[in-house]
Amino acid sequence: YGAEYLLAACRLRAGEYAAARDGFTRCLVLQPSQPWPRLSRGVASLRLGQWADALADFDAVLAKPPDASAHY
């Protein structure tokens, strides 16, 4: 999970939004309860102009109660 997330984050920062979105999706398959890949996937979708997908990811993150383990 960790290496996949970091690779997707690098792709997002490099402007490779489709590849980043795919990477964050793979992260969610491995760790579906983690909020960060879903939030980041939403950002990638937003950059791709996929508004409905971005909104769905953002809404899903906001719908979950805060988790102390998700804070850094």
Side-chain angles (χ1 to χ4, degrees):
Y1 165 83
E4 188 70 46
Y5 181 82
L6 291 175
L7 180 59
C10 288
R11 288 180 169 155
L12 181 65
R13 187 172 174 112
E16 299 172 14
Y17 303 123
R21 187 180 195 290
D22 292 345
F24 292 127
T25 298
R26 284 190 294 277
C27 289
L28 289 169
V29 169
L30 298 171
Q31 299 268 340
S33 65
Q34 292 295 318
W36 296 110
R38 191 168 307 280
L39 180 65
S40 299
R41 186 175 72 174
V43 172
S45 294
L46 187 68
R47 299 288 188 194
L48 290 167
Q50 298 172 342
W51 316 116
D53 291 340
L55 184 59
D57 278 337
F58 296 150
D59 283 344
V61 170
L62 290 173
K64 291 189 65 135
D67 179 3
S69 68
H71 299 183
Y72 294 117

